[in-house]
Each structure stands twice: as C-alpha cells, then as structure tokens.
Amino acid sequence: MENKTEGELYIVATPIGNLEDITLRAIRILKEVDLIAAEDTRQTLKLLNHLEIKKTMISYHRHNEGIRTENLIKQLKDGKKIALVSDAGTPGICDPGEDIIKECIKENIKIIPIPGACAMINALVISGISTKEFTFVGFLPLNKKNRREKLEEIKKANKTVILYEAPHKLKNTLKDLSTILVDREIVLVRELTKIHEETIRGTASKLQDNVEDIKGEIVLIIEGAKTKEIEQLDKMTLDEHYAFYEKQGIEKKEIIKRIAKDRNVSKNEIYIKFI
Ligand code: SAM
C-alpha cells in the first residue's frame, strides 16, 4: 500500500516592518515546506533573501484566491506541505487566507498556525486603552450606507474598537469619527516596528488637527463607549442633553443632529424645541 504523507498548510506570520520580527519556527517552516503561497511574491522574495532561503513560490492574492485555492488544495491532498504568507503580519487578518482555510477544513487537511507579528495586537497593547474586551473592525467600508452602519456600531460599542487605516483616508475617517464620538480617547499608532514608529493620543476632533501630512501604516485604537455615559444620556432631560454637548463647544446644528441620533427621533422634532 502506498505510504502517502499528509499535506499540511502552515499559516506563517511575517514581520510588519522590522525584518527581525520573525520567529525561529517560522524560519524553519519556510525552509522545510515544499511551496510558499505568497500574497505578493516580490515582497516575500525580499524576506526570503534576507533569511537566505531559496524556495518555490506561487502568488496567492485577492484576485486569484478562488482558482489558486483549488490548485493548492489539490497539492495539499497530494501530501505537499505549504506555507501561506501575506505581505506583512498574520495572513487572514485583512489579508488573504480565509478561503483556503475554510477549504482545508472541508477537506480535513491539517492547518497549523505559526504565530508572529500582527499590527492590531501590538497597537492595542501599547495604547493604554482597555485590552479586556475589544472588537476588530479592520478597514471602515467605503460604501456610504455600510460605512454609516459601521460608524453607528462603533458609537455604541462599549468595548475597545480597533481600525486599520491608510494615510490618505485618515483625515476623512477622523472627521467621520468626530461626528459620532463624544469625547472618547483615540490612540493613533503608526509605523510599528519601523524607524518612524509613533503614537499620537487625542479625541477624533483633536487628532484631525495633528495628522495633516501623516504618512505610513496606521492603526486606530478607540476607547469603548462608557456604558454609564450612554445610560446618562438616556436619563437626561432634553435641556440637559443639549447642555451636555454645548459644554464641549459643539455648534447648535451639530448638537441637534446628535441629540436626534441619540434619541432616535427626527432632527426636526429636536429643532423645534430649540428655536
Ligand atoms: N495582516 C496584517 C496584520 O497582521 O496586521 C494586516 C494587513 S492590512 C492589508 C495592512 C494594514 O495593517 C495597514 O493599512 C495598517 O492599517 C496595518 N499595519 C500593517 N503594518 C503596520 C505597521 N507596521 N504599523 C501600523 N499599522 C500597520
């Protein structure tokens, strides 16, 4: 009887900037596997050259995930050991990975995680914001309706919220956040593990003034809504609710908009009470 070895898929975390951030085990696995499936083979080649590893690579990115998954599953069923890597950090976290993992589960193929860098976890642990409970949103949707819904979820979230953001979209994101978050602290962590690593703290509106020419890769850690604050808003009279926002220097039009949102009523209903 043929003694066929079983295929294995390794989900290998790679550095998010500093090339030293790779584990000994990850290096060994990258050396031992038959094939590396990489989000961008040119990017991974830089890492392999640095580690002095020569290995066959195949591209595995958003636009060929479907077809490549099929091909990789076939090779895994033939007993191949394959490492999946993304451009940076942990595959599957805002990077390709989910599809092939689901297929492996269906096909009963062993999946082995090789832990390492992940931007959101490292930003979270240095933020000083609660790590007890958190929700990872990734990139905010660009579609208007989906974005509005996600922002509404963030407004209500009573746990830490983590966002990924690109520098050219940051200003717009902070502007959107400033319209829904009262005075929640936000920690902007950028360029983790790199020369220009930096942490900036503030509220959404304060941060807006500090990010004019910001560059690099960014994680936003947002303090959870204080449950008490939400409860307090619910218990306030309309005048107290108005005064609560007024004290923060918010303009009348915006106050009316926020009260209407908090109370789930139309802006007009609030507006006529304050003319
Ligand atoms: N798989 C990656 C991980 O494990 O974090 C995330 C990949 S996602 C396509 C890229 C986003 O991750 C960037 O836009 C940024 O928000 C965040 N990111 C990646 N590297 C980072 C770094 N060195 N510093 C800050 N954020 C980073």
Side-chain angles (χ1 to χ4, degrees):
M1 209 170 84
E2 193 192 352
N3 187 12
K4 207 169 83 176
T5 54
E6 290 196 357
E8 285 170 347
L9 178 69
Y10 293 89
I11 309 299
V12 181
T14 57
I16 53 169
N18 189 325
L19 291 183
E20 289 177 18
D21 293 328
I22 184 153
T23 68
L24 296 174
R25 185 166 172 232
I27 297 171
R28 177 173 61 77
I29 295 297
L30 291 176
K31 280 182 184 159
E32 285 177 6
V33 288
D34 299 299
L35 176 71
I36 298 175
E39 186 183 7
D40 180 346
T41 51
R42 287 163 306 175
Q43 187 68 19
T44 301
L45 186 62
K46 287 184 211 158
L47 176 70
L48 295 185
N49 286 342
H50 174 77
L51 299 169
E52 296 180 355
I53 297 173
K54 279 201 166 55
K55 189 66 59 180
T56 312
M57 275 196 281
I58 186 171
S59 73
Y60 185 81
H61 50 70
R62 253 173 242 306
H63 306 291
N64 68 8
E65 238 173 325
I67 186 99
R68 278 287 198 269
T69 294
E70 220 175 282
N71 173 277
L72 292 171
I73 291 288
K74 195 170 166 294
Q75 298 199 52
L76 287 160
K77 281 165 117 178
D78 283 344
K80 291 268 166 58
K81 308 235 186 287
I82 300 176
L84 176 71
V85 299
S86 63
D87 285 356
T90 303
I93 302 297
C94 287
D95 274 340
E98 252 183 69
D99 282 10
I100 189 162
I101 289 168
K102 283 191 179 135
E103 279 310 307
C104 283
I105 294 166
K106 268 197 223 155
E107 299 290 342
N108 217 8
I109 294 164
K110 199 167 176 191
I111 312 154
I112 302 156
I114 308 295
C118 181
M120 66 151 154
I121 293 297
N122 288 285
L124 173 66
V125 294
I126 64 157
S127 70
I129 290 181
S130 176
T131 58
K132 285 195 183 65
E133 271 193 282
F134 57 88
T135 176
F136 176 61
V137 172
F139 294 97
L140 275 178
L142 294 178
N143 169 286
K144 267 193 181 167
K145 182 172 168 282
N146 298 347
R147 189 170 174 98
R148 220 180 307 119
E149 281 170 10
K150 198 49 81 181
L151 287 165
E152 211 35 52
E153 271 177 42
I154 295 174
K155 179 180 168 184
K156 290 187 185 134
N158 53 8
K159 56 183 87 163
T160 303
V161 177
I162 309 176
L163 297 183
Y164 279 171
E165 197 44 285
H168 62 285
K169 295 190 187 138
L170 180 68
K171 238 188 150 190
N172 198 30
T173 292
L174 288 173
K175 188 165 147 260
D176 286 350
L177 289 172
S178 72
T179 64
I180 55 144
L181 306 180
V182 182
D183 59 354
R184 276 155 66 182
E185 189 183 6
I186 299 184
V187 180
L188 184 157
V189 183
R190 74 174 192 103
E191 293 292 86
L192 276 162
T193 79
K194 305 187 208 173
I195 298 168
H196 298 293
E197 183 176 293
E198 186 183 20
T199 301
I200 313 173
R201 290 162 201 281
T203 56
S205 28
K206 278 195 191 134
L207 283 175
Q208 271 187 89
D209 305 330
N210 291 336
V211 298
E212 214 39 74
D213 291 314
I214 210 150
K215 293 192 177 70
E217 302 199 88
I218 294 157
V219 184
L220 295 175
I221 309 288
I222 307 169
E223 179 185 28
K226 298 163 194 94
T227 325
K228 233 171 68 198
E229 189 178 273
I230 295 170
E231 282 168 7
Q232 273 170 357
L233 286 181
D234 280 351
K235 281 185 199 147
M236 282 177 190
T237 64
L238 207 50
D239 284 338
E240 286 166 343
H241 202 154
Y242 191 95
F244 170 79
Y245 284 129
E246 200 177 30
K247 259 194 280 167
Q248 296 166 40
I250 300 168
E251 284 178 6
K252 184 172 179 178
K253 205 170 144 205
E254 180 60 30
I255 297 181
I256 289 171
K257 209 164 106 191
R258 289 192 188 190
I259 295 178
K261 235 182 185 182
D262 293 341
R263 296 186 173 231
N264 209 9
V265 295
S266 77
K267 271 188 283 184
N268 260 353
E269 203 173 306
I270 304 298
Y271 182 72
I272 49 170
K273 304 247 166 64
F274 291 102
I275 40 175

